[in-house]
Amino acid sequence: AQSVTQLDSQVPVFEEAPVELRCNYSSSVSVYLFWYVQYPNQGLQLLLKYLSGSTLVKGINGFEAEFNKSQTSFHLRKPSVHISDTAEYFCAVTGSGYNKLIFGAGTRLAVHP
Amino acid sequence: DVKVTQSSRYLVKRTGEKVFLECVQDMDHENMFWYRQDPGLGLRLIYFSYDVKMKEKGDIPEGYSVSREKKERFSLILESASTNQTSMYLCASSFASGGAGNEQFFGPGTRLTVL
């Protein structure tokens, strides 16, 4: 069975500082990996995804993530955060041939001035 | 722009009531999903549908049913609401071709409170 662990439930950071949100997964099959963001009182929107190819994936709003198969990780990074990045971030995994996404518990990023 | 709309943003119901949550998408997506979102648990899949009148159970289907009579509309039904169904409910849709790598597009959510 597939599962996703987001290692931090909350990450406080100052504006313009770098940030890393950690995600580990377990799966017995080849995986597709996703990061979604949920701004307050909104639904989720896709930040980026890894399907195959280059292990460094660039997404919207300056975010990027690196797929590390040996460490079964897909950590999300941004070199300099803004107040507007305050949101909840979800890592998700699915196996090839599946329709279902398995989500992590979420990481609440709070950017302070 | 893809748009997924949900019939209510906030809903308050009493224990034992039958509750309908409606979701409509305008992008001709084959797949539609219902999730519930609870703090510390992330999103959990209740049901999904890959075609009209077709459905599959997700991870937590107990106490819920679904209906998909038209491609653009997917309804979640709580036959007899209970307090442990108080939650945020999110609908999503995606294309089927290309498989599991397709982006899911989410609605804004319905926050349901059962008293």
Side-chain angles (χ1 to χ4, degrees), chain B residues 21-34:
Chain B
L21 302 183
E22 306 283 338
C23 174
V24 177
Q25 51 94 2
D26 67 358
M27 276 300 291
D28 204 34
H29 286 164
E30 294 85 6
N31 297 332
M32 295 189 75
F33 307 82
W34 275 108

Side-chain angles (χ1 to χ4, degrees), chain B residues 41-101:
Chain B
L41 297 177
L43 278 74
R44 293 177 292 165
L45 182 65
I46 305 171
Y47 268 97
F48 83 96
S49 169
Y50 50 91
D51 202 350
V52 174
K53 296 192 187 294
M54 306 304 288
K55 61 186 178 185
E56 279 197 26
K57 292 180 181 179
D59 299 314
I60 51 164
E62 297 78 19
Y64 304 94
S65 62
V66 290
S67 172
R68 193 166 180 201
E69 298 296 320
K70 293 185 177 182
K71 190 174 185 180
E72 68 270 19
R73 188 180 296 269
F74 191 35
S75 302
L76 180 70
I77 303 155
L78 288 66
E79 294 289 343
S80 178
S82 64
T83 55
N84 62 13
Q85 293 178 308
T86 291
S87 187
M88 171 71 88
Y89 291 88
L90 291 165
C91 175
S93 69
S94 72
F95 285 117
S97 64

Side-chain angles (χ1 to χ4, degrees), chain A residues 29-73:
Chain A
V29 299
S30 295
V31 295
Y32 298 151
L33 292 154
F34 303 78
W35 276 100
Y36 281 83
V37 60
Q38 185 179 33
Y39 298 105
N41 298 315
Q42 295 186 27
L44 279 69
Q45 69 180 85
L46 182 69
L47 268 180
L48 48 79
K49 63 182 178 181
Y50 171 79
L51 303 183
S52 64
S54 172
T55 57
L56 184 63
V57 180
K58 293 192 183 296
I60 62 171
N61 300 340
F63 284 92
E64 63 181 32
E66 185 152 20
F67 171 58
N68 188 318
K69 189 174 181 179
S70 62
Q71 296 188 3
T72 61
S73 68

Side-chain angles (χ1 to χ4, degrees), chain B residues 9-27:
Chain B
R9 292 300 302 270
Y10 301 93
L11 210 50
V12 180
K13 296 291 181 182
R14 296 205 177 275
T15 302
E17 280 193 78
K18 191 169 186 175
V19 181
F20 293 86
L21 302 183
E22 306 283 338
C23 174
V24 177
Q25 51 94 2
D26 67 358
M27 276 300 291

Side-chain angles (χ1 to χ4, degrees), chain B residues 91-110:
Chain B
C91 175
S93 69
S94 72
F95 285 117
S97 64
N102 290 333
E103 176 181 356
Q104 291 187 20
F105 293 86
F106 284 80
T110 296

